[in-house]
Amino acid sequence: MDWKKLADALFPQGHSIVEKDDFLCGLGQVDGVTLQVIGTTAHTPIGVEIALAQARAILDTVREFPGKPILMLIDTQGQRLRHRDEMLGINSYMAHLGKCVDLARRKGHKIIGLVYDQALSGGFITSGLMADACYALPDATIRVMGLPAMARITKVPEERLTELAQSNPVFAPGPENYLRMGGLQAIWQGDLAAQLRAALAEPATGDQRSALGLERGGRRLAQPVIEAVMTDGDVRAA
C-alpha cells in the first residue's frame, strides 16, 4: 500500500507525516490523541543513515513529548548489504535503534508497529518486533530470511525447507504465519483507523509473543522453555 493512502486511512482527522529519502516522520491524530509516526517506505534497506534518523526521532519524542504513543510504519527490505555500512558497523547502529525503542517503552511510550508492505530480516527485528505489539496488513510480505538464503546458511536443501514450510510457520513467510507464531498481534482489515484506536486502547501486558505462539500452535516449545527456565531460577533462589 502507498504510505500516503495508508496515512489517510489511519488518520482521517489529519496528519503531518512527511517523507524524505524514504524516511517517514510526523504526527497523526486519533480521537484527539496525537501519535508520533516514524517509519520507512519504498522497500528501503536500513543503512546507517535511516537507522540513525529513526533513533533520533524516537529520542526526540522521549525528550520533548513524554508518554506520547509511537506508531512505526514498516516497509523495508531489511539491513542494507553494502561494504560501507558493514565497515561503519551497521550492526551497532541497528542495535542502537533497538535500544532507543526499548528506552521509549521504559519511559512510558506505547509503541505500535504496523507492517504495511514489506518487512524483512534486521529491518523488521529492530522495528516491528521491538514494538509492544506489531500488526500487519493482509497483503504484507514478512520474513526474516528467504528460503534460498536459509538453505545456504543451514546447509539444508531448499527443497526440504520448502517442504517444511508447508506445515511449519517458522520456515514460511507471510503475515498469517507470523500471526500463528505470535510475532503479530493481529492482521488489520477494514477500518484501519478503528483498528488503530483499538490497539491504542489495549493494556500493556508485556511480551506475550511466546504465549500467543503456543496458544495459536505456531511455536509449541518457546513458552514451555521460558517457564521451565523461570521456575528453575526461582527454585535455586529459594
Side-chain angles (χ1 to χ4, degrees):
M1 175 182 281
D2 175 75
W3 76 264
K4 294 179 181 178
K5 293 181 179 179
L6 173 70
D8 290 340
L10 287 170
F11 305 109
Q13 296 177 1
H15 67 85
S16 62
I17 304 170
V18 295
E19 178 269 332
K20 182 179 180 181
D21 298 329
D22 299 328
F23 171 60
L24 303 175
C25 191
L27 303 176
Q29 295 281 337
V30 177
D31 292 342
V33 177
T34 302
L35 283 77
Q36 179 68 54
V37 182
I38 299 166
T40 52
T41 189
H43 303 346
T44 189
I46 306 300
V48 296
E49 297 85 1
I50 283 187
L52 280 179
Q54 292 185 93
R56 182 181 300 113
I58 292 170
L59 292 178
D60 286 346
T61 302
V62 172
R63 183 183 304 112
E64 299 172 15
F65 306 101
K68 177 182 289 184
I70 298 173
L71 173 64
M72 304 187 75
L73 299 180
I74 304 154
D75 176 20
T76 175
Q77 61 182 269
Q79 181 175 323
R80 187 161 67 192
L81 302 176
R82 288 185 183 174
H83 184 263
R84 171 181 173 274
D85 291 271
E86 294 296 333
M87 292 300 293
L88 288 172
I90 181 62
N91 59 309
S92 296
Y93 287 83
M94 299 189 79
H96 172 62
L97 172 57
K99 291 176 182 178
C100 290
V101 176
D102 187 56
L103 172 67
R105 175 175 27 255
R106 292 171 184 269
K107 292 292 186 178
H109 296 262
K110 188 178 186 67
I111 303 169
I112 297 171
L114 175 60
V115 181
Y116 70 98
D117 200 315
Q118 182 171 275
L120 274 62
S121 66
F124 182 40
I125 293 170
T126 54
S127 55
L129 291 183
M130 284 295 296
D132 294 314
C134 187
Y135 303 84
L137 299 186
D139 295 331
T141 298
I142 306 176
R143 65 174 183 268
V144 172
M145 183 179 290
L147 293 184
M150 194 181 297
R152 290 194 297 271
I153 296 298
T154 64
K155 309 304 180 185
V156 176
E158 186 178 343
E159 295 77 11
R160 175 56 178 159
L161 293 176
T162 301
E163 179 183 342
L164 289 171
Q166 301 304 311
S167 59
N168 192 327
V170 172
F171 296 94
E176 295 83 4
N177 289 298
Y178 278 80
L179 182 70
R180 287 183 60 199
M181 289 188 291
L184 294 179
Q185 190 79 7
I187 297 175
W188 285 0
Q189 303 187 60
D191 187 338
L192 297 184
Q195 303 275 9
L196 179 55
R197 283 195 296 270
L200 287 170
E202 285 287 330
T205 56
D207 190 346
Q208 299 295 309
R209 288 173 295 182
S210 296
L212 287 174
L214 177 62
E215 177 184 321
R216 296 168 180 171
R219 295 177 70 200
R220 297 183 177 89
L221 296 179
Q223 185 63 25
V225 168
I226 290 171
E227 292 174 354
V229 170
M230 296 299 293
T231 302
D232 185 55
D234 291 342
V235 169
R236 291 186 178 183

